[in-house]
Each structure stands twice: as C-alpha cells, then as structure tokens.
Amino acid sequence: MDATAETVNQIIRFVDLAGVLANAILGGIAARSARLDIVGFVILAVMSGLGGGLIRDTLLQQGPPVALTDPAYLGLAITGAMIAFFVPFRGIWSLRSLILMDALAVGCWAAVGAQKTLEAGLGWLPAIVMGIITAVGGGAVRDVMLLHVPRIFGGNTLYATSALVSSVEMVVLSKLGMPTLGSAVAMASGAVLSLLARRYG
Amino acid sequence: MDATAETVNQIIRFVDLAGVLANAILGGIAARSARLDIVGFVILAVMSGLGGGLIRDTLLQQGPPVALTDPAYLGLAITGAMIAFFVPFRGIWSLRSLILMDALAVGCWAAVGAQKTLEAGLGWLPAIVMGIITAVGGGAVRDVMLLHVPRIFGGNTLYATSALVSSVEMVVLSKLGMPTLGSAVAMASGAVLSLLARRYG
Amino acid sequence: MDATAETVNQIIRFVDLAGVLANAILGGIAARSARLDIVGFVILAVMSGLGGGLIRDTLLQQGPPVALTDPAYLGLAITGAMIAFFVPFRGIWSLRSLILMDALAVGCWAAVGAQKTLEAGLGWLPAIVMGIITAVGGGAVRDVMLLHVPRIFGGNTLYATSALVSSVEMVVLSKLGMPTLGSAVAMASGAVLSLLARRYG
C-alpha cells in the first residue's frame, strides 16, 4: 500500500468515527426533543451512530458486526450520548459542525458499505444498495422508533440520493481498480450533496 | 429429479420472482401515496419485494441472503420501483393482475421459507414460523416505515392466515417426502385464501 | 460444575422460559387491546417473548438463533398467545403474577445476553449493550409494530435502566470468575428494580 492509500485510509477511519460521534450526538438531540432520560439518550445514540453498520454486517454475515468487535465504535456512540445529554447544543456554530460531520459521514459510510460488500464477493448492484443502507439505516431506525416519518422519506430525500451517488462512485472506481480514489470522491460528493440538501432540500 | 419436480421448481422460481416484482410495484404504489421521490420508491420497493427473504436468510445464517447473491432479485425489485414510478396503475385490470401475482406470491414465499428452514436442519415449528415471516415480513416492514398499522394486523389478518396455512401444508407434505406437491398445494391454497381475504376480509 | 452452579443454571433456564411465557402473554394482551385476531396474537406473542433473543443471536452470528433451534422457546411463545387469547386476565392476581414473571425475566435475559456475548469473545462494553438489547428488544419491536412509543422510552425508562444494571453486574462478576453469582445477582436486582419501576416509575 503506497503512502497516498495509507493517508486516505486514515482519513476514512477518522471520518467514519467522526460520523459515529456526530450521529450519536444527533441521536441524543432527538432523545432530548422526545424528553427521554439518559438510557433513552444512549439507545438512540447507539442506533443513530451504529445502526447502519449493524444492519450491513448482519446482512453480509462475515462474523459479528465491527460495531461490536472494534471498541472505538460503541465507545464513541456512548460518548456522543453523554455529550448530547450534558451540552445543550443551542449555539449555531456547534450545530453547524455537527451538520458538517454528518454530511461527511454520509459519503464515507456509503463508500465503506459498498466496498465491504464487494470484498464479500457480492455484485455491483448489492454493493450500491448496501452502501445506501449503511449510510441511511441508522437514522431510519432512530426515526421509526420515535414514530417519526424517516428523514430519508420525509421532505428531504436528497439525503438518500447523496448516499446513492456516493455508493455508485465507489463501486465504479473500485471496479476500475481505484478504491482509494473512490473513497475520496464518494466522501467529497456525499458531503457536498448533503449540505446542498440541507440548504435547498 | 423427475420431469414433474423440475417443472414445479421452474414454476416456483417464476412465481417467486413474479411475487418480487408485484410486491415491489405495490411498494412503489405505497411510495406514490406517501408522495415520495424516486429514491423513496426504490427503498419501499426493495423492502416490500425482498424484506421477507432478507429477514429469513439473516435468521437462518446460512450465508449472505439470496436477495443479495442472486442478481435477479434486486434487479426485479428496482424494475418494480421504476414501473410504479412511471406507470399510474389506475386501470382496474392492471391492479387486478398485481393482486393476483401478490396472492400467488404469499403461498409461494411461505412454501420457500418453510422448505429452506427444514433444509437448514430446523424443526417443523420454526419452519412454519419462518414460512409466515418470509411471506408477510416485507409488507410489515414497509407498513411500519410508513407509520401505517401493518396489513397483517389491520383489518385483514386473513392475509397472515393464508401464509400460515401454506406453511403448514408445505411442512406436512415435505415431511411426508413430497416437497414438490407441497409447493404446488401451498401456492394454490395461498392464492385462493388471499383472494378470498381481499374480497370478503 | 458444582452443585450450586448447576442449581443456578436450572433456575436461569426456568426463569428464562418463564419470561418467554410471561412476555408472550403480555404480547397477547397487547394484541387484545389492538383488537387483533388469533394470528395477530401469535405474531405479537412471538415478538414479545423471543424478539430480544432473536436480535441478540442474529448480531452475534454464532449460528441460527436458539429461539429457532430449541423447541421450548417457540412452543412456550405460542402457548402464551393461546393463553392470552382464551383467558381474559382481568383478575388482579393473574396480572400480578405476570408482572412478577416479567420483572424476573428482565434481569435473567440481561444476564444471559451479556454472558453469551462474552462467550462469543467480545468485550465488556458490547456485552453490556447486548444484555440490554436481549432484555428490552422484544418489547421494543412489539411496541413499534403497534405504532406505540416503545415502553423503554415512554414514561417508564427505569425498565431499561434495570436491564443496564443487571448487565453490568453480570459482566463484572463474570470477569471476576463468578458467572453463577452474576446471574443470581442480575436476576434479583433486575426483579427489584423493575418492580420499583412499575410502582413508582
């Protein structure tokens, strides 16, 4: 593995985990809106931050989900719940950084989901679908448990569209032998589309 | 395998895939009622057409779900989403053919689910339960995500009952060494009961 | 295995199965409130009694869920559905015994879920989370399918808290080489906390 690939892999891991933290905090904020106690914060944070990956790994059946075997995931999800519980997140700048991290995560999670599916020996179409599931699954489970219409349906489906675009990019570039470039492009376009979706969606 | 068994197997595959297409279209029609965009159509179509089999294969843990490994399934589910997106389905005859395909699929899916569970070495009671889950799971997930009371509960539970009857028939005839006859009987009775449920339920 | 451990193991199995029966009956009572027919009773009873274990075993990926391979589980879940269908459960004493069995089950299921996760080679944090999921997962799925706010969120989250406490106790005592004591303590504290939650929650 050359230096560029290693750098991109480190960026992927950083964005992946930052996405877990950001989504866990967003889950905690949803728990606050629903006036839950701290256990409710943790449950919603874990679902928001890890739900997509849990569904992906359960479907791929390559062993227990990475969210359970790699302690960083659960640790960050619970940290996110605690942050959301103790920090009010009323300032515009703290919300903006959350939204930015979440936007970066959409493309990153889609890329990771698509790549893992290809590595499991499955075809390009399942890879695209699993990329989307990885990116939007956690949020969908969180929304349904709170009896909200899932965000991927309600009003702002450009969110799911950006996961679709990132998954397609990842699959195409991975099949062309450029998975590293694929991850970078998927992450960048996912972020841009998600932010556009927030602004104009 | 004799000629009859081969013919029945081909019919099972045909009805199975026709059921995926019909249920994907029904998922797309539900997406239209909820005023979703094309990504919402695809998500609901995939869930309606493939959800039951995904749950079944995930629980049986015999490797990645057939809905991901056999390209016909995802291909037909997405085709169904596209058809529902572009075709209005207002005519009485187009709706009637959808309902007929859906009715045939209930018994077929129940039979396939029960048989796969027996082949995985599990007992007759899990086989019956997995037959029902395969037949009604996709629709239930679709309904819950749209925050509707699942059709298996709301008003028309004869739908689930016909899955139960088909599963029992399949398990009994399979245990008696007649899986081919079981599939045929399960499919026929599932269709008749489902159509009765639609008419008088 | 010494005599005490064997006795505790027998108590665990008894409480585990009693919990399945109690929760299946509670699922059936929920089906009655929603005016479902007998198939709806069975579906909700199976989900309430077996849902948590099904989610746990599906995530751990150690083969098909014990709820499918051990006939006692499905048998008791369906028995519970039948009991709820034919017995009105209006008397205060029958309800009280159900609540007691349910309270015992919370700690027992949390202990079993945490211990199984440790045995699968996973760490203490996933073990705690899986203990909670095992204890409250079935009820949460049942509630969401009926479009109710899950009981773990709505009004009475001490229910989830008692699952958390039992899981932590089990993990700590198991790591100290005392899994038998862990099960006993988890079961007792789960029961006490759940009953307090019902009374003062």
Side-chain angles (χ1 to χ4, degrees):
Chain A
M1 192 187 298
D2 62 15
T4 317
E6 211 175 307
T7 310
V8 171
N9 276 342
Q10 283 171 12
I11 294 174
I12 291 173
R13 178 150 175 94
F14 179 81
V15 173
D16 184 6
L17 292 175
V20 170
L21 185 67
N23 270 278
I25 294 174
L26 291 170
I29 291 173
R32 185 193 304 284
S33 308
R35 300 171 169 276
L36 305 185
D37 70 3
I38 184 124
V39 181
F41 272 70
V42 171
I43 294 176
L44 282 183
V46 168
M47 281 184 176
S48 304
L50 307 178
L54 285 171
I55 297 172
R56 175 199 64 209
D57 291 345
T58 306
L59 288 174
L60 289 181
Q61 303 214 12
Q62 312 283 310
V66 67
L68 297 179
T69 56
D70 179 340
Y73 288 96
L74 266 177
L76 277 172
I78 292 170
T79 305
M82 295 302 146
I83 291 174
F85 192 76
F86 290 112
V87 181
F89 278 101
R90 283 204 205 91
I92 185 119
W93 286 107
S94 55
L95 266 176
R96 275 192 186 161
S97 30
L98 275 181
I99 288 169
L100 180 63
M101 277 205 285
D102 179 41
L104 277 166
V106 169
C108 172
W109 288 359
V112 172
Q115 182 63 15
K116 272 203 173 187
T117 308
L118 292 176
E119 281 164 10
L122 297 171
W124 59 271
L125 190 51
I128 291 171
V129 170
M130 295 293 280
I132 299 173
I133 289 175
T134 308
V136 306
V141 172
R142 176 197 63 213
D143 293 342
V144 168
M145 282 207 68
L146 287 172
L147 306 186
H148 297 165
V149 172
R151 183 166 53 153
I152 46 169
F153 292 155
N156 194 346
T157 49
L158 191 48
Y159 196 73
T161 308
S162 70
L164 166 67
V165 171
S166 293
S167 299
V168 170
E169 292 163 350
M170 182 70 208
V171 168
V172 169
L173 287 167
S174 193
K175 288 277 181 192
L176 293 174
M178 294 178 282
T180 305
L181 182 64
S183 303
V185 169
M187 220 146 50
S189 82
V192 170
L193 276 176
S194 298
L195 292 176
L196 286 177
R198 285 237 165 220
R199 190 158 180 93
Y200 306 104
Chain B
M1 191 189 297
D2 63 14
T4 316
E6 210 176 307
T7 310
V8 171
N9 276 342
Q10 283 171 12
I11 294 173
I12 290 174
R13 176 149 177 95
F14 179 80
V15 172
D16 184 7
L17 292 175
V20 170
L21 185 66
N23 269 278
I25 294 173
L26 291 169
I29 291 172
R32 184 192 304 284
S33 309
R35 299 169 170 276
L36 305 186
D37 69 4
I38 185 123
V39 180
F41 273 69
V42 170
I43 293 175
L44 283 183
V46 167
M47 282 185 174
S48 303
L50 307 178
L54 284 171
I55 297 172
R56 174 199 66 211
D57 290 346
T58 306
L59 288 174
L60 289 181
Q61 304 214 10
Q62 312 283 309
V66 68
L68 297 180
T69 56
D70 180 340
Y73 287 96
L74 266 178
L76 278 172
I78 292 170
T79 305
M82 295 301 146
I83 292 174
F85 192 77
F86 290 112
V87 181
F89 279 101
R90 283 205 204 91
I92 185 116
W93 286 107
S94 55
L95 266 176
R96 273 189 187 163
S97 29
L98 275 182
I99 288 168
L100 181 63
M101 276 204 285
D102 179 41
L104 277 165
V106 169
C108 171
W109 288 358
V112 172
Q115 182 63 15
K116 272 203 172 187
T117 308
L118 291 176
E119 281 165 9
L122 296 171
W124 59 271
L125 190 51
I128 292 170
V129 170
M130 295 292 281
I132 299 173
I133 289 174
T134 308
V136 307
V141 172
R142 176 196 62 212
D143 293 343
V144 168
M145 281 207 69
L146 288 172
L147 306 186
H148 297 162
V149 172
R151 184 167 54 152
I152 47 170
F153 291 155
N156 195 346
T157 50
L158 193 48
Y159 196 75
T161 308
S162 70
L164 166 66
V165 171
S166 293
S167 299
V168 170
E169 291 163 351
M170 183 69 207
V171 168
V172 169
L173 288 166
S174 192
K175 288 278 182 191
L176 292 173
M178 295 178 282
T180 305
L181 182 64
S183 303
V185 168
M187 220 146 50
S189 83
V192 169
L193 275 176
S194 299
L195 292 175
L196 286 177
R198 286 238 165 218
R199 190 160 181 91
Y200 305 104
Chain C
M1 194 187 299
D2 63 14
T4 316
E6 211 176 307
T7 310
V8 171
N9 276 342
Q10 283 172 12
I11 294 173
I12 291 173
R13 177 149 176 95
F14 178 80
V15 173
D16 184 8
L17 291 175
V20 171
L21 185 66
N23 270 277
I25 294 174
L26 290 170
I29 291 172
R32 184 193 305 285
S33 309
R35 300 170 170 276
L36 305 185
D37 69 5
I38 185 124
V39 180
F41 272 69
V42 171
I43 293 175
L44 282 183
V46 167
M47 281 185 177
S48 302
L50 307 178
L54 284 171
I55 297 172
R56 176 199 64 210
D57 291 346
T58 305
L59 288 175
L60 289 181
Q61 304 215 12
Q62 312 284 308
V66 67
L68 297 179
T69 55
D70 179 340
Y73 287 96
L74 266 177
L76 276 171
I78 293 170
T79 305
M82 296 301 146
I83 292 174
F85 191 77
F86 291 112
V87 180
F89 278 100
R90 284 207 204 88
I92 185 120
W93 286 108
S94 54
L95 266 177
R96 275 190 186 162
S97 29
L98 274 182
I99 288 169
L100 180 63
M101 277 204 284
D102 178 41
L104 277 166
V106 170
C108 171
W109 287 358
V112 171
Q115 182 63 16
K116 272 203 173 188
T117 307
L118 292 176
E119 281 165 9
L122 297 172
W124 59 271
L125 190 52
I128 292 171
V129 170
M130 295 293 280
I132 298 173
I133 289 174
T134 308
V136 307
V141 172
R142 176 197 63 213
D143 293 342
V144 168
M145 282 208 67
L146 288 172
L147 305 186
H148 296 163
V149 172
R151 183 167 53 152
I152 47 169
F153 291 154
N156 194 347
T157 48
L158 194 47
Y159 196 74
T161 307
S162 70
L164 165 67
V165 172
S166 293
S167 299
V168 170
E169 291 163 350
M170 183 69 208
V171 168
V172 169
L173 287 166
S174 193
K175 287 278 181 190
L176 293 173
M178 295 178 283
T180 305
L181 182 64
S183 304
V185 169
M187 220 146 50
S189 82
V192 170
L193 276 176
S194 300
L195 292 175
L196 286 177
R198 286 237 164 220
R199 192 162 179 90
Y200 305 103

